[in-house]
Structures are given as structure tokens and as C-alpha cells.
Amino acid sequence: MPDIRPTVGSGALVLNATYEPLCVVSVRRAAILVLTAKAVCVADGDGILHSARDALPVPSVVRLTRFVRVPYRTHVGLSRRAIFARDGWRCAYCRGPAETIDHVFPRSRGGRHAWENVVAACARCNHTKGDKTPAEMGWRLHALPAAPKGAAWRVLGHRAPDPRWADWLDLREPEAAA
Ligand SMILES: [Zn+2]
């Protein structure tokens, strides 16, 4: 095994042979995948990794050389980070920077903690809304909240993506409410 020093960077994005995002691993793990020909590097990060025999650029995105069958996950975990990521870190009511999570139908009145009832919100809108519904406030939701779909959420729900991964994660704004 190469002696790869712990290094810069936030990890490497692993893509399936089909370019579908799979997970994020340490840069060291990604380098080992490349050195053992289990993956090829498709985007470099910053710096060079040195082992006894090799030197290779720090991998930022690697693609597996053989297709790996992954059980299709229908559920994206409902985490604070995932909610912010789904809503583009913007308030569902005023589109300003979001720093809180709001339950559209208030929890105090039986609203569920579920993808369909949570949105990112700025502190001001959240506080002003209190335990009212958007309809009672005369407010409109920018988008209808729903559970996110797609392979990119294997990554997006857990961590902030490296900007170099954007091409493979297909980052999109949520659809506007009808
Ligand atoms: Zn707001």
C-alpha cells in the first residue's frame, strides 16, 4: 500500500462506471483506487500525492473502471443539511439566505417533520410566521416542498459538495410552485 500522507482537500467524489455519483471517500482511499486500477481519475484536486514509487495528482473525482450495482435508495434522509441543499440555501418565502428550518404547517398544530412539510427559511420569515400557515399569512411558497430524487443525493444529503464536483452532481434549483 502506498504511504500517502493525510492531505489537503475534502475528499474525492466516486462515480460509477456510468458516471453516476456513488459516494465521497477520503483522498487517500481515492488514490489507492486509482493506483490499483480500480478507478481512473477524471478531475484533479490541489497538490500531488507521493508514495514510495509513485506521485500522482490529488484526485478530486474518480470513476470506477467496473460498474458496481447499487441498490436503489428511494429515501433521502431528512437532515438539516439535506433540506438546505434541496432549497438552495434560500428562504422558501422571501428567497433571502436561509438559516433556519420551518415547518410549513406548524408542528405545534400537528404538522409533520417530513420532506413535504419542511423548508429552509430565513430567521426573520420563520419568526414572523410563528405558528401560522403560509395561507394564514398571505404568503406563497416559492416551491412545493418534496423529497429530493436522484443519485446526486447520495452525496448532497451528507456534505457540502466541492465546486469541482458540480458537473457530475447536476445541481439544480427546485421547481417553482404551480
Ligand atoms: Zn425569508
Side-chain angles (χ1 to χ4, degrees), residues 87-140:
D87 295 352
W89 283 271
R90 297 201 162 273
C91 176
Y93 305 111
C94 74
R95 307 301 291 146
E99 57 254 307
T100 65
I101 301 296
D102 179 56
H103 290 85
V104 178
F105 194 88
R107 289 209 94 176
S108 59
R109 293 162 60 182
R112 290 193 314 133
H113 186 64
W115 277 114
E116 294 75 13
N117 194 47
V118 292
V119 289
C122 73
R124 189 154 167 267
C125 287
N126 201 337
H127 182 76
T128 307
K129 179 171 168 282
D131 62 356
K132 297 209 171 56
T133 66
E136 287 165 354
M137 297 297 293
W139 290 0
R140 246 177 78 98

Side-chain angles (χ1 to χ4, degrees), residues 35-78:
L35 290 172
T36 54
K38 293 198 170 77
V40 290
C41 186
V42 291
D44 293 340
D46 300 316
I48 303 285
L49 290 171
H50 295 279
S51 70
R53 291 189 354 218
D54 304 286
L56 82 159
V58 169
S60 178
V61 182
V62 300
R63 183 170 68 90
L64 297 179
T65 46
R66 299 181 69 171
F67 177 73
V68 171
R69 194 168 294 279
V70 188
Y72 182 69
R73 238 187 43 214
T74 49
H75 247 68
V76 179
L78 184 58

